[in-house]
Amino acid sequence: MTNRLADTLSPYLRAHADNPVDWHPWGEEAFAEARRRDVPLLVSIGYSTCHWCHVMARESFADDATAAQINAAFVPVKIDREEHPEVDAAFMAAASAFTRSLGWPLTVFATPAGRTFYAGTYFPPQARGGVPSFRDVLTAVNEAWTERRAEVEESADAVADALRQAATADAGGMPGAEAIAAAAAAILQREDHRHGGFGGAPKFPMATTLRFLQHPLAQGADAARRAIDAMSASPLRDEIDGGFFRYATQADWSVPHYERMLIDNAQLIDVALAAGRDDIVRGIVGFLLGVLRRDGGAFGAAQDSESWIDGERSEGGYYRADARDRASLRPPAVDGKVLTGWNGLAIGALARAGARLDEQEWVDAAAAAAVHVLRVNRSAAGALVRSSLDGVAAAAVATAADVGLLADGLLALALATGEASWATRALALLEEPLVADPVLSAQGLAAAGDDSDGDLPSGAASRASAHLTAWLLGAGDEHRERAVALCAPLVERALQHPLAYGALLRLCATLAAPSRQVVAVVEHRQGALADAARRVEADVVAVVSPAQARGFADAGFSLFEGKDAADGVAYDCRDFVCRLPTADPSALSV
């Protein structure tokens, strides 16, 4: 049979279109059908490059007997977590009441009103290792629903109430330099001094944490350098094309989980750039431009861990092959879904790296991706949406992280190109109203209360970062105030659990430290003064022509006011107070 997924804009959902399971995509139709039949929802959440999602699909969702059991007792819903991150977060938070082993595939059983009453992750076709078989789970859940309905609904309501309470937070004050250093010290105590990085197995790059440690107030740059050096020299990095895998299953960074994500690689560009590892930067950029870049200039979400070798599916076989053998193999598929926020991360990283290393091709690639996302990832009414595929916008609304990450990327692109128009577009994005997922809202389901920084900055941290950059460019004190307002409610939790709030703590550190902005005004972007400016460690570095400086000033960015009169000078500003302009490149190193 062909279910309802064939015409969706998600490669992950399309891969399940021929399942015998009667899948519904995320939408009101599934809830209406569950109410009509008076049966629970079976919500299955994953993504296209998830290995265990593939395994469960082959073992259970492609099995006729299992599918018949699902179709008879449930309304099955298949969700791409990358397309609907707010939905994933809401169900993940609810699932935490039932299992400590959270991950994907996520398997959730919910009432027709969307209240979770049981959840797990991967279930095997036969019981093993203390994990029941998936068909036994289906039987038990169906029996509970039909024979103990009152208990099931009471449990579901209790979870929903707890999540609503967790979604509220009290605003606190912003931390000073001492508190930030203490948070960094707590992270540094957990460094793996033998293998680099933090924690044991499985081991993740933790780019948001590394970027926090690279802030001067954190005093952890050496640990971050040890981590990126260790990862680069390990099997976590593909030695042929320079891209990094998702995580390592062993503490020494060996035995990778072979999927390769845009978000990990984009963020590791910034980590490597700050660590002075230009070779790593060039390798990752090569992977982004050579593998993940799609027609139109934007970037796909990820490259799969599996590929076909000798007629069979192989996890990692392509990546384990040497360069000669790999050339004859079909590479793993790329999920071509263009995610708004993820592309924002790539745009920003490419713009910063291209400007710092004077690689115009990278800046041009960032600009092409920005043009594509701003043009394609829009609804018919013009609102920003979460994703697109093959030039067609999906219906999923943009999240706070999408808006913040794209705006931050555009601000980086403005600095890399000297074109103020990118910055004004970023400010316009920040003023667009945020819209909650309409299906979650219709069911009265609370958004998840977890605003931590996991594999990418949270919505609050992303938007705060964009506002903070806008303030540093002179867009007005209200942007600093908005950054503080977004960060303050999360500060207490961040200081208590610093490993989980790297992006937020980096913002707090930037707010707590004296700011530095460097503006080099040169008609030609090559030369000793421009090169010296690019090497400065500052919150903002801009290399602009006199006309471009005037363009920024006219657009309302006060940092550039009065800086268009002379050519071949640089302004070194501390807390918006600029020293006398200098034409001496060595003066910028002070």
Side-chain angles (χ1 to χ4, degrees), residues 331-400:
V334 170
D335 181 340
K337 187 167 66 269
V338 174
L339 293 156
T340 297
W342 294 23
N343 271 263
L345 278 173
I347 291 164
L350 287 169
R352 286 184 289 269
R356 180 71 173 265
L357 302 182
D358 196 20
E359 291 284 355
Q360 187 60 42
E361 179 189 357
W362 303 356
V363 178
D364 292 343
V371 168
H372 181 95
V373 172
L374 289 170
R375 178 178 59 84
V376 175
N377 287 26
R378 294 279 185 183
S379 69
L384 196 67
V385 298
R386 169 69 178 168
S387 67
S388 63
L389 181 69
D390 298 332
V392 180
V397 297
T399 66

Side-chain angles (χ1 to χ4, degrees), residues 209-243:
T209 298
L210 298 182
R211 286 298 288 137
F212 166 51
L213 293 177
Q214 289 176 319
H215 192 281
L217 289 188
Q219 302 178 35
D222 289 344
R225 171 64 182 260
R226 287 191 289 271
I228 192 67
D229 286 350
M231 286 187 279
S232 176
S234 78
L236 191 73
R237 184 190 188 204
D238 187 295
E239 63 181 14
I240 295 176
D241 67 18

